[in-house]
């Protein structure tokens, strides 16, 4: 049985907060549907104190902004985007189109068609999250999306130059300095200034995530996501200092970011908690990391690795870092996670920033039914059928007639009957002509 050394706040408190977010987002989306660009501008002024003549950057503005970014930053962006692009291309190569003849003259096929317009939301607000540009835009372009609209908010009324550079170098076709629900709603429903997209991808705060949830169906989304999560799995060999540093690395994302440790060692658990408390006061991002750890941090001590992996799957967390003697065992033992980070030499921050796998991952238990953003999310896998052999037309037509009438679908049955009649001369008893 697991012993819980540290609890999170009750779920009821979290649910109440989400109810308030849901109500606010509903109102903003409805207003943007009704008033379009005027509402977008009003919310940008209200939430971001930002109301330029045009929210979309011109090519000249983009070039000027990119030129202001230090050369080392540009080189680093290019390097990381190469990693993301290479991994996305390998994913694309794994998706096979095919055509197969299943009966004489019966050809069935599968092909992949990119969505024609995708929206990429790159969070800002407090931090310039350049890495989200790599994950959303580069991956969309590898998939072949012809139009990628990228939105990011200003930061304290200033243009986030490094983020704009990342968006541009990733291949964005349109760059908008627009954030929050107003950006998501504008991309989804369209305004006079912005044509709508077919799918929106990218992380964001609770309001952005709720906007995507409410608009899903009208448009596609990458996945339902909430605050960043980290789950550290540790045995007695783990270094408590590393455990603490890595837990706090994700807690700094926001005050509602869960950071959880499951360990087979009470000593590792207690020392990790002590290290967290030691490190927190000196963190520049303490104002986010401290409430995240206080309200959403958890520590569980279990008796065995079997219990550890079972409990880990129950959490179904976004990021799972495995600090055990045999970390690759998790590949066989676990089934519910967004991404695994195996061994002390690998950290979640690598995945967030530099290594090449996508950091847009499922949260709030969504890992039970989906993985994270990948090149296939921007593709529609479609099928096609062709029947040219008259014998197969007759066979399938008669079968279709019988199968449809079992279900009382006479119209379907008659479509099958007609094919059998044309191919083999079957009589259409229902046709009085």
């Amino acid at each position: 049985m697991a012993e819980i050394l540290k609890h999170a706040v009750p779920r009821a408190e979290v649910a109440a907060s989400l109810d308030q977010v849901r109500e606010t987002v509903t109102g903003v989306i409805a207003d943007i549907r009704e008033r379009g660009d005027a509402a977008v501008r009003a919310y940008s002024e209200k939430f971001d104190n930002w109301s330029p003549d045009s929210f979309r950057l011109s090519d000249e503005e983009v070039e000027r902004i990119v030129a202001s970014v230090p050369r080392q930053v540009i080189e680093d962006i290019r390097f990381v985007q190469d990693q993301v692009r290479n991994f996305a291309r390998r994913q694309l190569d794994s998706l096979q189109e095919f055509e197969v003849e299943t009966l004489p003259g019966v050809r069935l096929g599968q092909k992949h068609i990119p969505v024609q317009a995708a929206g990429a939301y790159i969070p800002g607000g407090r931090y310039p999250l350049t890495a989200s540009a790599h994950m959303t835009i580069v991956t969309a372009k590898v998939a072949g999306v012809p139009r990628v609209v990228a939105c990011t908010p200003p930061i304290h009324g200033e243009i986030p130059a490094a983020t704009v550079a990342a968006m541009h170098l990733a291949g964005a076709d349109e760059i908008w300095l627009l954030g929050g629900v107003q950006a998501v709603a504008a991309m989804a429903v369209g305004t006079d200034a912005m044509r709508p997209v077919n799918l929106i991808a990218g992380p964001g705060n609770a309001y952005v995530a709720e906007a995507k949830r409410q608009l899903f169906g009208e448009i596609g989304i990458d996945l339902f996501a909430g605050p960043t999560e980290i789950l550290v799995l540790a045995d007695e060999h783990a270094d408590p200092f590393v455990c603490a540093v890595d837990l706090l690395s994700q807690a700094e994302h926001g005050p509602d970011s869960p950071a959880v440790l499951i360990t087979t060692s009470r000593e590792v658990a207690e020392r990790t908690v002590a290290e967290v408390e030691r490190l927190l006061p000196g963190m520049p991002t303490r104002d986010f990391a401290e409430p995240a750890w206080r309200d959403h941090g958890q520590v569980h001590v279990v008796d065995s690795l079997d219990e550890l992996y079972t409990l880990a799957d129950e959490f179904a967390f976004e990021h799972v870092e495995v600090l055990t003697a045999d970390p690759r065992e998790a590949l066989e033992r676990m089934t519910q996670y967004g991404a695994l980070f195996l061994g002390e030499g690998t950290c979640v921050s690598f995945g967030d920033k530099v290594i090449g796998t996508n950091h847009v991952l499922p949260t709030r238990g969504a890992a039970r039914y989906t993985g994270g953003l990948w090149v296939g999310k921007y593709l529609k896998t479609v099928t096609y059928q062709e029947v040219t052999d008259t014998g197969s037309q007759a066979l399938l037509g008669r079968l279709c007639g019988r199968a449809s009438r079992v279900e009382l679908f006479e119209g379907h049955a008659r479509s099958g009957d007609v094919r059998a009649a044309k191919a083999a001369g079957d009589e259409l008893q229902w046709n009085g002509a």
Side-chain angles (χ1 to χ4, degrees):
M1 296 292 293
E3 178 186 3
I4 304 177
L5 296 189
K6 185 181 185 308
H7 291 266
V9 296
R11 291 185 178 181
E13 292 184 27
V14 177
S17 175
L18 291 176
D19 286 342
Q20 184 178 10
V21 169
R22 188 172 298 117
E23 182 178 350
T24 300
V25 170
T26 299
V28 172
I29 292 175
D31 194 17
I32 290 174
R33 287 189 191 279
E34 181 177 348
R35 297 196 297 129
D37 290 317
V40 169
R41 184 169 295 279
Y43 290 114
S44 182
E45 289 178 339
K46 177 180 179 180
F47 297 128
D48 291 324
N49 193 28
W50 183 254
S51 183
D53 292 338
S54 172
F55 291 103
R56 180 177 176 180
L57 295 177
S58 67
D59 292 344
E60 293 75 17
E61 288 173 314
V62 170
E63 290 177 6
R64 175 171 49 80
I65 293 167
V66 173
S68 73
V69 178
R71 186 178 67 178
Q72 185 65 61
V73 174
I74 295 294
E75 291 177 358
D76 289 346
I77 287 172
R78 290 187 185 279
F79 176 86
V80 176
Q81 288 186 351
D82 281 345
Q83 311 315 302
V84 175
R85 187 175 293 107
N86 291 340
F87 191 75
R89 284 173 174 163
R90 291 299 299 268
Q91 290 181 322
L92 185 63
D93 289 343
S94 75
L95 295 170
Q96 298 299 314
E97 295 185 347
F98 65 85
E99 183 175 285
V100 59
E101 188 172 25
T102 58
L103 293 167
V106 177
R107 283 176 285 276
L108 309 181
Q110 169 179 291
K111 64 180 300 185
H112 307 293
I113 301 175
V115 298
Q116 294 303 288
Y121 187 80
I122 292 87
R126 175 171 178 170
Y127 303 128
L129 295 181
T130 58
S132 289
H134 319 329
M135 307 301 175
T136 53
I137 302 168
V138 169
T139 309
K141 282 302 182 181
V142 170
V145 178
R147 174 176 171 248
V148 177
V149 177
C151 288
T152 196
I155 299 180
H156 305 304
E158 300 291 333
I159 295 173
T163 303
V164 171
M167 297 158 89
H168 172 67
L169 295 172
D173 300 287
E174 302 173 22
I175 296 177
W176 296 69
L177 286 181
L178 187 63
V181 178
Q182 58 270 25
V184 175
M187 288 190 285
V189 307
T191 69
D192 289 340
M194 183 189 294
R195 289 181 293 134
V197 300
N198 308 124
L199 180 147
I200 294 177
N205 63 18
Y207 292 91
V208 168
E210 176 61 18
K212 288 167 62 180
R213 189 192 69 81
Q214 290 191 22
L215 290 161
F216 176 59
E218 184 172 349
I219 53 142
I221 64 171
D222 46 359
L223 45 85
F224 294 115
T228 292
E229 304 164 340
I230 182 171
L231 175 61
V232 174
L233 307 181
D235 61 12
E236 69 276 14
H237 303 287
D239 183 341
F241 175 70
V242 172
C243 293
V245 168
D246 290 351
L247 288 167
L248 291 176
S249 75
Q250 297 301 298
E252 74 176 355
H253 272 278
D256 51 358
S257 294
V260 178
L261 171 68
I262 305 175
T263 178
T264 56
S265 168
R266 186 179 183 88
E267 180 183 0
V268 168
E270 292 174 345
R271 289 178 58 194
T272 297
V273 171
E275 289 287 0
V276 169
E277 299 300 333
R278 182 180 68 83
L279 292 168
L280 258 176
M283 283 191 72
T285 51
R286 175 184 176 181
D287 56 338
F288 276 3
E290 188 170 52
W293 174 250
R294 180 191 67 225
D295 297 337
H296 303 282
Q298 298 182 48
V299 177
H300 298 253
V301 179
V302 296
D303 292 332
S304 67
L305 286 176
D306 286 341
E307 289 184 36
L308 178 141
Y309 289 123
T310 298
L311 183 57
D313 265 349
E314 291 176 8
F315 273 94
F317 258 24
E318 174 186 21
H319 304 108
V320 179
E321 193 170 286
V322 187
L323 304 179
T324 62
D326 183 12
R328 292 186 66 87
E329 183 182 12
L331 289 170
E332 303 299 325
R333 301 291 295 274
M334 291 190 65
T335 60
Q336 298 187 156
Y337 55 86
L340 286 180
F341 301 83
L342 303 176
E344 188 179 277
T346 317
C347 60
V348 172
S349 297
F350 282 179
D352 279 349
K353 306 298 182 185
V354 297
I355 207 167
T357 49
N358 208 293
H359 78 192
V360 182
L361 298 166
T363 64
R364 291 182 175 156
R368 295 182 175 91
Y369 59 82
T370 186
L373 180 62
W374 69 300
V375 73
K377 183 61 71 172
Y378 294 100
L379 299 171
K380 300 175 291 182
T381 300
V382 300
T383 62
Y384 60 91
Q385 306 82 38
E386 182 182 33
V387 184
T388 57
D389 180 83
T390 56
S392 293
Q393 288 171 2
L395 170 67
L396 294 173
R398 292 164 187 156
L399 178 60
C400 181
R402 295 193 302 271
S404 299
R405 290 187 173 98
V406 168
E407 298 178 344
L408 306 181
F409 271 64
E410 182 62 23
H412 284 65
R414 291 181 178 186
S415 286
D417 295 346
V418 167
R419 270 64 189 181
K422 283 186 168 288
D426 288 19
E427 181 181 356
L428 299 177
Q429 296 181 355
W430 46 266
N431 184 20

